[in-house]
Structures are given as C-alpha cells and as structure tokens.
Amino acid sequence: MAQKQFKAESKRLLEMMINSIYTHREVFLRELISNASDAIDKIYYKALTDDSLTFDKDSYYIKVVPNKEERTLKIIDTGIGMTKEELETNLGTIAKSGSLAFKKETDLKDGYDIIGQFGVGFYAAFMVADVVTVVSKALGSDEAYKWESKGAEGYTIEPVEKDSVGTEIILKIKENTEDENYDEFLEEYRLKSIIKKYSDFIRYPIKMDISGRRPKEGSDNEWEDYVEEQTINSMVPIWRKNKSELTDEDYEKFYAEKHYGFDKPLKHIHISVDGTIRYNAILYIPEKIPFDYYSKEFEKGLELYSNGVLIMNKCADLLPDYFSFVKGMVDSEDLSLNISREMLQHDRQLKLIAKNINKKIKSELQSLLKNEREKYEEFYKSFGRQLKFGVYSDFGANKEVLQDLLMFYSSKEKKLVTLEEYVSRMPEDQKYIYYASGESIERIDKLPQTELVSEKGYEILYFTDDIDEFAIRMLMAYKEKEFKSVASGDLGIEADETEKETDSEENKELFSYMKEVLSDKVKDVRISKRLKSHPVCLSTDGEVTIEMEKILSQMPDNQNVKAEKVLEINANHEVFQSLKAAFEQDKEKVNLYTKLLYNQALLIEGLPIQDPVEFTNDICKVMV
Ligand code: ADP
C-alpha cells in the first residue's frame, strides 16, 4: 500500500514530537481524551438539532484500555468519527498551519511550547508511541477506515471492519530506553492518575477496566480476581465547581488544556451568576501577547457552551474589542442549543451576559492595578495599546470605561503612572495635563519643548505609542483637566517677568523676513516662551500636532493632513544676537541662518530634512 507524505510543516512538528525531551509526556493522554470528548460533543450537538438522531447519554463514553502483553494503549470513543477524507485532512496536516513558521527552532525544542501554543493535540501521541493507528467510522457512513503512521515518513489509509460509529486510537507504546520509562503508560494506576489530573472535568465518562482482588463471597479464606469497569473522572466541569474547591493550579491546568495560551495566565476570573441570567464563566487575562494579536488573523472571542455543550469556539459578541485579549469560556443554561450564529447576535441573554462580563473584566483590571501594581504593569505593557485603541475607537464611546485603566510614562516618576495619580498631585497653579510625544522615552527626555514645563516643576506624560495622542484627543480632559502638548502654541503658563525680549517692532521685522525665507513651510516665526537652553524648536498652532502629522502621513489613506508649524526662536540664546546682527548687515546671512535653524528644528522633531545635501553645504558655509 502506498505510503502518503505528511505536509511539510506537519512533518517537522511530528519529528519534534518524536524527538522531544519533554518531561510531561503524560499530556498525550489529555490531548487524545480531549479530542474524543470534542467528537462526542459533535454527535450530541447534532442529535439535539436533528430529530432522526437520538442521544442516549449512556451510550456515549471514552474508554482507555492498556494491554501490557501487546504493549498497546487504546483510546476508544463513541464520538462522531472520521471519514476517509477527514482522516486524511485532519491527521495529515496540522490545523494551525502557518503558526509554526513564526517560531524559531530553538523555541520549539521544548515540547511544552508546541503543545501549549499550537494545540498540536493528536501528534502528541508520538511522544510515547512509535506506531499510531486510528480506526474510525463516521456517523452516517457504512465504511470504516484505518489510518496508520510510524512517524515522520508518512501514513497509510485502508478500509477496515468496524461495527459502531466512533474512533479507536491504538498506540504502540515505545520500548523503555536507558533514561526513559514508557511502561508506566501501560499501568492502570498511572493512567488513572493521569486521567484524574488532566481530564477530570470531561463531561463524558472516561472508563477503564480496573482489576483487583477481593474476598470471595461466602468464603472466609478464599480470594478472587475481578475486573470491573469504572468511571475515572468526576465529570463535573471546572466552571461548575465551587471557587473555594479550586486552586490556582487548577485554573492554570484548564488554561493549558484548553490551549487558551502558551503562557501562564496573569489572572483568572471565575464568575457564577445565578439571577435573572444564569451563567458560569472562566476568563483569563493572559500574561503574554499571542503572536498574532496585533494582526488581522487574530480572532477575539470566548468559547460558548449551552448547558455544558460547546456551541461555538469563538463567540466574538461576548467581548468588546478593547478587551479582545481575554480568553476563556462561558456556559449558560439559558441559551438555546440550536441557536444560529445570526440569531445569537441578537440574543437578549447573550447581550446581558456580555455586558456583565465586560463589567467584571473592568473591575478585575482595576483591582489588579490597585492591589498588584507590578502585575498590572506587565499586563499593560502587553495590552495597554489595545485599551488606548478602545478609548479612541467608536468616537470615544468607551472612554469613561477605560480612562482609569490607562497609564503613561511620567517625566517625574520615571515609570508608568495613571491619570488619576497625575491629576491628584498637580500643583494648584497648573492648568493642564502636559504631555510630550516622541519615538522613545530617551528622545522625549531631550526635547527642547519640554524645558519650560519642566522648569515650572510640572510633570509631563510621555507619549511613545502612535495611538496615544489620538486617544487623548478623544478623552479631551480628565477630571476636568485638559490635555496639552508641550509643543502647543499656548502652554497656559505665564512667562516670567524677567524675560525681556518681546515681540518688539524690530523683532517683528526680522521674524516676518524669516517667515518669507521659509515661505509656506511654517505658519509663523516667533520668540519662544518655552525654550531655556536650546536655540530653536517647532511648535504647533491648532489641533494637529507634529506627531499626529507623522502618524497620519503613514496611513494608507493619507489625507495629507499637516500641522501648522511655528518656528520658535530662543531670544536669550547667543544665536539670536547673531541673527539680529546679520539682519542689520547681511541679508544673505539671515537667509542662511534661517534655513539652518529651521532644519535643526526638523531634526530635533525627528522629521526629514527636505534637502540634506543643501543642509550640509549650508553648515560648511558657516564653518568657512
Ligand atoms: P485539534 O483537536 O486542536 O483540532 P488535533 O490534531 O488534536 O487538533 O486534531 C485534529 C482534528 O482531527 C480534530 O480537529 C478533529 O476534527 C479530528 N479528530 C481528532 N481526534 C478525533 C476523534 N477521536 N474523533 C473524531 N475526530 C477527531
């Protein structure tokens, strides 16, 4: 029979599974049982929406059968089964194709990451078996097929006899090696404890034939061997359990088992509501950003169960975009099982649940911020950007919900601070919340525009994310304090009396001359009130700041929005005296100086110089 090849990526993954030095090999069983449970879910779900099928609860189960003599371990389920095509597509390729390409080889050495992040599920079987056989009969089909693989070389598929619908996975357990003991996966007690540990909440019975010895009935000294089928799992889903019965580890295990993320969750939220709406939910705030989070491929959503049956993998309606990083599941008895996706969107119950969850997430984040600051900052580094997008989008409709969750780097504290913290320590004479925008903290630290505000002793928030200024524009104010860019025309700070140089008639002439030299590049040339040690800077009049201009110009639908730039000159700087002297004697020089100053201001802003060659030539002219 012809051997078929695995898809390239699957093959790579398989090889890693086979060779993995992963110590938690036992999770292979969790993966296979979870697949079996999903397969039963599918048949159960079908039965509920299809009258020709009946779902007799007792005939649906998973059975684990070890056989020491043959060195095999069988995992049998009465689920929906797979057709020949399904065996081919489901087991010949990993579902999450593409995701592997993202990872470096070194990251994948450890099997845990692979299993956790991509949910390679089925392939985990190759961590303990050198031959994997899958015998399956699909619901509604008369034929059964056998899929078999000895590893990376490929697999075969052939017809086979099987009476009942469902799937049997047969693992030929590897021989022990010097360092590895595989026999344990054939031991009843060991299998039992693995099932208890990872699959206790599976909704269907996981059965095993447990053997033992007992006194023979009616006899005092005779014993007999017996074999008895037992259900190993408690079948109570974790979300139906009492919070007090559960440990952090239980929640972490559930997170891993469900493949919600490859990290450890930063926080879990267990909700049980039993009022006008009834639902249970387990939600997680991940610690790390999923690799595709800020990409188009990322799909938000929670798993949705109706009374214990999974009806949707990613119900997007349960989460607002700004909390799209939340993972987890919701189970409600009040949701109809055979509700369609379209109807779900309009479902009143679902809307209520979503609203409720939203509130809960917010309050949990707030308490994290209040009580576990470090953890919150870690969270914020990953997902703060999403919260800021939330403030900005929908025309600011959610700003009230989100504003107290925002943080920005503070010039004074040298760390992230909240708006509440900023406002609460504002000196009485300070009118605005000041911010400075730039590429990085280091760059903003050096911005000349911050000089006056800093000298006044006011705190400045550093905006380094491109969304920051846009979000803040949506907020407009926090606790009635407006936001103000340190580069804006009017800083709302009274200039010191001692600053003598004003816009006298004489200066006015100079400035209008300079303005002419620069023509439409700037709106105005002025004496600066904010500069202390630097000779020159740009500020802006109007709504659009220079940072905003930069960001908008990179947008695909570039509308060519321009900031109204003002060239500000520091009258207390020696350069200004040179300018004035030149204005009296040598207009050519003024032209040169003006261009130089303007280009310097551009450089400080991180803006491109239109003609760099001319600029360097101009500098040379000054030098010789
Ligand atoms: P995942 O379960 O994450 O999709 P797997 O590699 O574990 O990835 O399984 C791939 C697919 O094979 C499953 O999505 C399912 O369609 C199918 N499958 C696996 N095991 C079974 C089973 N016991 N019964 C029916 N289908 C199964």
Side-chain angles (χ1 to χ4, degrees), residues 31-40 42 75-82 86-87 89-96 118-124 134 136 166-169 259:
E31 300 296 317
L32 297 181
I33 287 176
S34 151
N35 280 346
S37 165
D38 289 349
I40 302 178
K42 282 180 195 158
I75 293 97
I76 302 165
D77 71 61
T78 59
I80 198 153
M82 282 178 273
E86 282 166 344
L87 281 167
T89 44
N90 293 346
L91 307 183
T93 18
I94 55 159
K96 291 90 195 161
F118 307 127
V120 290
F122 173 74
Y123 284 4
V134 181
S136 196
T167 303
E168 267 186 56
I169 315 252
H259 303 310

Side-chain angles (χ1 to χ4, degrees), residues 127-268:
M127 293 198 295
V128 298
D130 32 40
V131 185
V132 177
T133 310
V134 181
V135 174
S136 196
K137 185 173 188 180
L139 180 71
S141 167
D142 302 330
E143 299 154 1
Y145 285 90
K146 182 169 101 176
W147 179 101
E148 192 164 84
S149 171
K150 293 195 171 72
E153 300 93 62
Y155 58 91
T156 55
I157 294 186
E158 60 182 301
V160 78
E161 284 301 314
K162 186 178 189 307
D163 293 338
S164 53
V165 169
T167 303
E168 267 186 56
I169 315 252
I170 305 140
L171 308 179
K172 180 94 179 133
I173 298 295
K174 290 185 187 179
E175 293 294 337
N176 287 347
T177 66
E178 235 167 75
D179 331 293
E180 301 292 344
N181 169 22
Y182 293 100
D183 285 354
E184 57 175 321
F185 301 122
L186 296 164
E187 298 290 348
E188 261 172 33
Y189 73 93
R190 179 74 174 107
L191 292 166
K192 219 172 133 173
S193 85
I194 300 173
I195 294 169
K196 264 283 182 212
K197 183 168 170 192
Y198 294 104
S199 311
D200 194 49
F201 64 85
I202 292 286
R203 295 167 4 92
Y204 307 102
I206 304 168
K207 298 180 180 180
M208 271 183 81
D209 291 330
I210 300 295
S211 48
R213 251 177 108 70
R214 63 186 166 205
K216 205 168 178 176
E217 221 173 303
S219 162
D220 289 341
N221 49 10
E222 272 182 294
W223 288 71
E224 62 174 3
D225 292 324
Y226 73 94
V227 178
E228 183 187 77
E229 193 178 69
Q230 290 181 7
T231 296
I232 310 299
N233 55 327
S234 73
M235 294 196 280
V236 180
I238 176 170
W239 59 89
R240 293 253 175 90
K241 286 195 181 158
N242 219 319
K243 277 173 238 180
S244 57
E245 289 172 44
L246 295 161
T247 62
D248 285 353
E249 214 198 327
D250 290 324
Y251 290 108
E252 279 164 22
K253 268 194 323 214
F254 186 64
Y255 186 79
E257 140 80 37
K258 283 295 198 170
H259 303 310
Y260 288 144
F262 59 94
D263 52 347
K264 260 196 186 173
L266 198 69
K267 186 155 187 91
H268 64 257

Side-chain angles (χ1 to χ4, degrees), residues 494-507:
E494 295 300 316
D496 265 342
E497 287 304 310
T498 48
E499 317 245 344
K500 290 179 301 296
E501 284 287 357
T502 54
D503 292 325
S504 66
E505 273 313 303
E506 172 198 8
N507 287 344

